[in-house]
């Protein structure tokens, strides 16, 4: 796996934020919120010199933030690869590109200094308001 932790840390330091929408704006990736069926959560697409992240606007705000962080991972790690769409009813489809994008999202959304290793994964999930799967990616359990 690429050194995703270092890449995310560099982005956070450079832009002084963990907000995926702000980072996307700073690096000139256009984010669009569009209504899709529940089966499509989001995707990244590159056309000529433009990069777009499309997020399903029917998702709740926290889900949109997670999907945006995940798709930002695709935009930065896999920009020369075929389009990636999350169509499943989980945030976490399987495959090497998806695992890397999930790891990117976990590194971006969960600060190292706020991890509580004295808590269970379920408790950390509740603490951060994020799915347990993201906690596992942060802890390198995948």
């Amino acid at each position: 796996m690429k050194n995703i932790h270092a890449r995310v840390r560099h982005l956070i330091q450079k832009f002084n934020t963990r907000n995926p929408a702000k980072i996307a704006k700073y690096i000139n990736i256009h984010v669009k919120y569009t209504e899709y069926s529940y089966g499509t959560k989001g995707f990244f697409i590159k056309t000529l010199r433009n990069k777009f992240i499309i997020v399903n606007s029917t998702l709740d705000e926290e889900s949109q933030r997670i999907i945006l962080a995940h798709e930002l991972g695709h935009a930065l790690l896999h920009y020369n690869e075929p389009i990636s769409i999350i169509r499943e009813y989980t945030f976490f489809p399987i495959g090497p590109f998806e695992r890397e994008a999930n790891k990117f999202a976990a590194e971006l959304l969960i600060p190292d200094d706020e991890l509580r290793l004295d808590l269970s994964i379920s408790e950390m999930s509740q603490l951060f308001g994020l799915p347990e799967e993201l906690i596992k990616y942060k802890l390198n359990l995948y």
Side-chain angles (χ1 to χ4, degrees), residues 3 8 26 31 35 46 54 57 62 67 74 76 81-82 110 112 120 124 127 130 140-141:
N3 191 345
V8 172
Y26 293 148
V31 178
E35 187 173 332
K46 180 181 172 187
I54 311 300
S57 63
E62 187 59 23
I67 296 299
H74 282 301
L76 295 172
E81 302 300 331
I110 305 169
D112 291 339
S120 70
M124 280 194 278
L127 175 69
L130 296 170
N140 296 313
L141 299 177

Side-chain angles (χ1 to χ4, degrees), residues 9 110 137:
R9 188 176 61 236
I110 305 169
Y137 274 101

